[in-house]
Amino acid sequence: MSFAGGRTAEDTVSLLAESHMWVSSTLLFANELFRDSLDLVEDERTRVMFPSWEYARLLDKVEEAEGPHNDLNEAWTEGDVDLLLRVHQAGGTVVAGTDAPLDDVGISIHQNLRAMVKYGFSPVEALQTATVNAARCLGAEGLLGGVLPGARADLLVIDGDPLSDINDAARIEKLMVDGHVHEVSELVEPFREVSGSRDDAGFTRTPTGRTEKREGTDAVEHDRIDREIC
């Protein structure tokens, strides 16, 4: 493969790895992963905290992911991850990044990590792009991105093992910020009290358990309320 000016893919990988610049993943077209799992879409945190119009946009992506034209997105993502993996293997620095809010806030970081693992990174390597690598690029190595003496006490407590299954990284039960422990349910509660379940805010569940947009005046009214709240 060659690029403009006669530069090959190998030349590009060497340039990125040897220059000590960092490369962000920003896998904006990883929506094909919704064909593998809808857990991020159907997660209560997503349904409760997303404004209804953002959730509607997310459901559109799910629908697109089930269409044959999305094979192009899959090939695009696989190619992007291949470049990232080669930079990583050549000694370069890859950092997880999403371009949110152009992508889906909260969800896209997990889609990025999952895409990296699906196309060649190990779960550990993918997680490092969002922890130690990110801290190093921010000039905060030793303060962020690791569990060690002198680092900030910001931790996630996960129900699972993301070191073997990257999907488990989204199964957060508790978090610690500056040494203060918070339950996820506690943090979600104020949003639940304001907007209620996403199933009552313009969307409904089919008999098979899938989430679909609900049409009609109720959905329009909930959209108006969501906009006023947000």
Side-chain angles (χ1 to χ4, degrees):
M1 180 184 298
S2 63
F3 296 90
R7 184 178 298 279
T8 66
E10 289 73 20
D11 292 335
T12 301
V13 169
S14 297
L15 174 64
L16 293 172
E18 295 172 9
S19 65
H20 304 293
M21 68 178 74
W22 51 269
V23 184
S24 183
S25 56
T26 56
L27 303 173
L28 289 171
F29 299 100
N31 297 322
E32 75 277 359
L33 296 183
F34 289 131
R35 290 186 296 192
D36 300 336
S37 174
L38 290 177
D39 64 310
L40 296 173
V41 178
E42 298 183 336
D43 191 292
E44 182 192 34
R45 293 166 294 181
T46 307
R47 292 188 293 108
V48 169
M49 299 180 72
F50 267 42
S52 61
W53 59 92
E54 285 292 337
Y55 196 73
R57 188 169 67 95
L58 182 60
L59 293 181
D60 287 340
K61 292 182 179 182
V62 172
E63 185 175 351
E64 291 172 2
E66 296 172 350
H69 63 281
N70 205 49
D71 290 344
L72 175 61
N73 284 347
E74 183 172 14
W76 194 320
T77 303
E78 185 174 5
D80 284 348
V81 175
D82 177 66
L83 176 61
L84 295 170
L85 183 59
R86 286 197 276 173
V87 170
H88 167 69
Q89 292 173 338
T93 302
V94 177
V95 182
T98 65
D99 266 356
L102 298 180
D103 212 343
D104 302 301
V105 175
I107 288 179
S108 54
I109 186 63
H110 291 288
Q111 290 290 78
N112 271 243
L113 295 175
R114 293 177 183 190
M116 284 191 279
V117 170
K118 182 174 182 177
Y119 297 117
F121 282 79
S122 71
V124 172
E125 290 171 330
L127 288 170
Q128 286 175 335
T129 69
T131 53
V132 292
N133 288 8
R136 185 179 306 118
C137 293
L138 291 172
E141 190 173 11
L143 180 64
L144 302 175
V147 182
L148 66 164
R152 290 187 55 154
D154 297 345
L155 302 170
L156 300 176
V157 178
I158 293 173
D159 179 18
D161 181 10
L163 299 180
S164 59
D165 184 352
I166 196 63
N167 289 10
D168 284 351
R171 301 180 62 183
I172 302 167
E173 291 191 335
K174 300 179 182 180
L175 62 154
M176 180 184 292
V177 181
D178 287 335
H180 300 285
V181 178
H182 303 274
E183 300 278 349
V184 168
S185 57
E186 162 202 336
L187 298 176
V188 173
E189 186 62 31
F191 296 91
R192 188 186 299 113
E193 292 175 351
V194 170
S195 62
S197 169
R198 180 58 62 201
D199 293 338
D200 295 326
F203 301 90
T204 188
R205 308 286 275 176
T206 68
T208 60
R210 295 294 296 277
T211 307
E212 293 183 351
K213 285 177 277 189
R214 185 176 72 238
E215 306 297 337
T217 56
D218 286 347
V220 173
E221 177 63 12
H222 277 292
D223 280 350
R224 181 187 67 79
I225 293 172
D226 280 346
R227 286 182 173 89
E228 290 178 355
I229 292 172
C230 299

